[in-house]
Amino acid sequence: MHKHSSQEKIAAVHEALAKNSSLYDIAKRNTMSVNLLKKYLAVYRGYGEVGLLCPPKVTIDFKIRVTEWTIENDANEFEVAEYFGYTGFNNIKRWKEAYLKHGADGWKPKKMYKKTQNKNTQMKKIEKLENKVQELEDENRRLAIMTAALKLIASRD
């Protein structure tokens, strides 16, 4: 997928507004889908060239506002593009799923976990820990014997 510069987006939108070619032809010349060109047109209707030059910053608050508005208004991708200046409707679908499943907490950062290690590595770690426990128990017994011996010697004096 090709990422389009702001100038490419603006040129494609101006060409579409001039109506000298079909949206299909304009999209093909600009290596974009007709659907994406329609989203750029919607952003242009809502925000003008500024919307194409400076897309909104995606924050957790932005995700919540977009998702709630999309749900409340049963909005499609073009309405979202026009209203918020955001063209990533596939992201909004994921946000909506997370919101419906977890509420606004669906976007809290998740802790990163290491991949599960294979069983051999896990078994080796368990064996090492068991050996360490045994060593510590032996050390405790030795220290208990030494303590008892020192108490016995000290009591004879």
Side-chain angles (χ1 to χ4, degrees):
M1 184 165 95
H2 173 76
K3 185 170 181 167
H4 302 95
S5 70
S6 300
Q7 285 71 29
E8 290 173 318
K9 294 174 189 178
I10 291 169
V13 165
H14 284 294
E15 190 176 349
L17 292 173
K19 297 183 182 181
N20 294 334
S21 297
S22 70
L23 292 181
Y24 175 80
D25 291 336
I26 296 166
K28 189 174 178 181
R29 271 195 301 279
N30 289 282
T31 63
M32 64 179 68
S33 67
V34 173
N35 199 34
L36 185 57
L37 178 57
K38 287 180 180 179
K39 289 179 197 174
Y40 292 155
L41 284 164
V43 170
Y44 185 83
R45 276 193 305 278
Y47 292 88
E49 288 185 7
V50 172
L52 297 171
L53 290 169
C54 304
K57 183 174 181 175
V58 179
T59 62
I60 291 175
D61 182 55
F62 178 78
K63 290 178 182 182
I64 292 170
R65 284 185 305 136
V66 170
T67 303
E68 288 177 345
W69 186 87
T70 303
I71 292 169
E72 288 170 12
N73 295 286
D74 193 28
N76 65 37
E77 57 196 309
F78 307 109
E79 293 167 326
V80 170
E82 185 173 347
Y83 194 81
F84 290 98
Y86 184 70
T87 58
F89 200 72
N90 287 334
N91 291 335
I92 295 169
K93 288 179 186 176
R94 286 192 300 275
W95 301 347
K96 190 175 173 182
E97 288 171 13
Y99 185 86
L100 294 173
K101 189 173 182 178
H102 304 288
D105 292 338
W107 294 294
K108 286 187 178 175
K110 293 175 180 64
K111 292 182 179 177
M112 299 299 288
Y113 295 99
K114 292 181 181 177
K115 290 183 179 180
T116 306
Q117 298 171 341
N118 64 35
K119 288 184 180 181
N120 290 338
T121 306
Q122 289 176 345
M123 291 304 292
K124 286 178 185 175
K125 284 186 175 182
I126 290 170
E127 287 173 15
K128 283 182 181 179
L129 290 172
E130 287 173 347
N131 288 340
K132 185 69 175 173
V133 167
Q134 186 62 48
E135 288 173 15
L136 290 172
E137 287 175 351
D138 291 346
E139 177 73 8
N140 280 343
R141 266 192 296 279
R142 189 180 65 77
L143 290 172
I145 291 169
M146 285 180 66
T147 303
L150 289 172
K151 282 182 182 177
L152 185 61
I153 292 171
S155 67
R156 289 186 182 171
D157 289 334

